[in-house]
Amino acid sequence: MATAAALDDDAVTHAVRHRPAWRRHPTVTAGLIILGLVCAMAIAAPWLASIDPTALSTAKRLRPPSSEFWFGTDMMGRDVWSRTLYGARVSVITGLTVAALATGIGLVLGLLAGFDRTIDAVMMRIMDGLMAIPAILLAIALMALTRASLGNVIIAIVVAEVPRVVRLARGIVLTLREATFVEAATASGTGFFGLLFRHILPNAVAPLVVQSTYIAASAMITEAILSFIGAGVPSSTPSWGNMMAEGRTVFQVAPQLVLFPGLCLSVTVLAINMLGDGLRDMLDPRLARRVK
């Protein structure tokens, strides 16, 4: 009986492992599909937009959704559908750029802190000081010192996100330094760069990739908040945060001005979080061995 049960378990495990990837990791698949559609929408905005998103037409202000204006028009007669498409560009660029820069910078600083006690003592106190300030407040303070532009928004958010990556990378390095395979490599005469590129980095990639997805989602929300309060990209630039800020004054009359950009932002952030959760389950060996 025990042998039969074991054979049944092996058969189930074999069947699960040989299912298509999209069935084994549905959250990754769903997140990638939604995020891919948003990125495609941002790239194809010039072809999908019905008219120029900055074109003014006071005679057509506050039009409801119709066959001519799919998402209606705002207080200045601008097409909300076109502005929503171009607003996706700001969010996608911000999320991807911040995730790449924050992860790269944080990884380098975290590796240095994990390998050198002196650097660790100084750097982590700086990181602790930055983390003591809420990320959004730190970004607002940095934007107050510069002019409104997408580049400055990205820099401000990167500065606020780097400390979290540094702490994660440092923790990974400190854990791996005590691992048996690293001690064996050190005893066999492997140098610093050999340890770094052959043993430390490959084992640090998975958690950092997952962390970068959450950074991208957080960056999109932070950019929208900054634009909403007037501290982000210029008001003339179509962005979801700017659109919601402009539409809040007439929300009771034209709720679609806030609803459509807010819904797009929520769906995009949800897709990134789904992707991050799925990657965590897929890359974590303990979770990967579970049979569903």
Side-chain angles (χ1 to χ4, degrees):
M1 295 294 293
T3 303
L7 290 175
D8 290 340
D9 290 341
D10 291 340
V12 172
T13 302
H14 181 272
V16 170
R17 289 180 178 177
H18 286 78
R19 285 187 302 180
W22 64 270
R23 291 188 60 189
R24 285 185 283 118
H25 307 287
T27 53
V28 174
T29 304
L32 282 175
I33 291 174
I34 298 173
L35 188 59
L37 290 175
V38 174
C39 291
M41 182 177 70
I43 295 172
W47 297 276
L48 295 177
S50 53
I51 58 175
D52 184 353
T54 60
L56 305 179
S57 179
T58 54
K60 299 179 180 179
R61 61 193 301 267
L62 296 179
R63 293 283 182 87
S66 63
S67 58
E68 182 181 4
F69 301 105
W70 291 359
F71 286 1
T73 60
D74 63 9
M75 295 181 294
M76 298 182 182
R78 296 172 296 191
D79 182 41
V80 177
W81 162 251
S82 299
R83 291 178 63 78
T84 302
L85 291 174
Y86 278 88
R89 288 186 162 189
V90 175
S91 292
V92 170
I93 291 173
T94 301
L96 296 181
T97 306
V98 169
L101 291 177
T103 303
I105 296 172
L107 174 60
V108 173
L109 297 180
L111 290 174
L112 293 175
F115 273 106
D116 190 286
R117 292 180 179 271
T118 303
I119 296 177
D120 180 52
V122 176
M123 185 180 299
M124 295 315 298
R125 300 297 76 76
I126 297 175
M127 296 299 115
D128 289 342
L130 291 175
M131 291 187 67
I133 307 173
I136 183 63
L137 294 183
L138 180 58
I140 292 173
L142 294 174
M143 286 303 300
L145 302 176
T146 60
R147 64 182 181 87
S149 70
L150 180 58
N152 289 334
V153 168
I154 290 174
I155 293 173
I157 301 176
V158 167
V159 172
E161 294 290 346
V162 162
R164 292 159 179 79
V165 182
V166 172
R167 292 190 68 89
L168 175 61
R170 171 182 175 269
I172 294 172
V173 172
L174 292 177
T175 301
L176 293 176
R177 282 179 58 183
E178 306 299 326
T180 304
F181 66 92
V182 174
E183 293 180 349
T186 303
S188 64
T190 304
F192 171 77
F193 290 103
L195 288 175
L196 180 62
F197 291 106
R198 292 173 56 186
H199 300 284
I200 302 297
L201 281 181
N203 289 279
V205 168
L208 287 174
V209 167
V210 175
Q211 180 67 17
S212 66
T213 61
Y214 299 131
I215 291 175
S218 175
M220 290 183 179
I221 295 175
T222 303
E223 181 277 322
I225 294 174
L226 291 175
S227 297
F228 188 84
I229 64 177
V233 297
S235 58
S236 59
T237 302
S239 74
W240 292 337
N242 282 338
M243 294 174 65
M244 289 187 283
E246 295 167 356
R248 61 182 172 177
T249 57
V250 292
F251 179 76
Q252 294 181 340
V253 178
Q256 70 272 10
L257 300 184
V258 177
L259 175 63
F260 289 125
L263 183 62
C264 288
L265 177 62
S266 300
V267 170
T268 304
V269 171
L270 175 62
I272 296 176
N273 285 334
M274 290 174 62
L275 177 61
D277 290 340
L279 288 174
R280 180 199 61 196
D281 297 343
M282 184 171 62
L283 298 174
D284 190 331
R286 294 169 298 180
L287 296 175
R289 285 195 297 266
R290 293 182 181 176
V291 177
K292 298 181 180 180

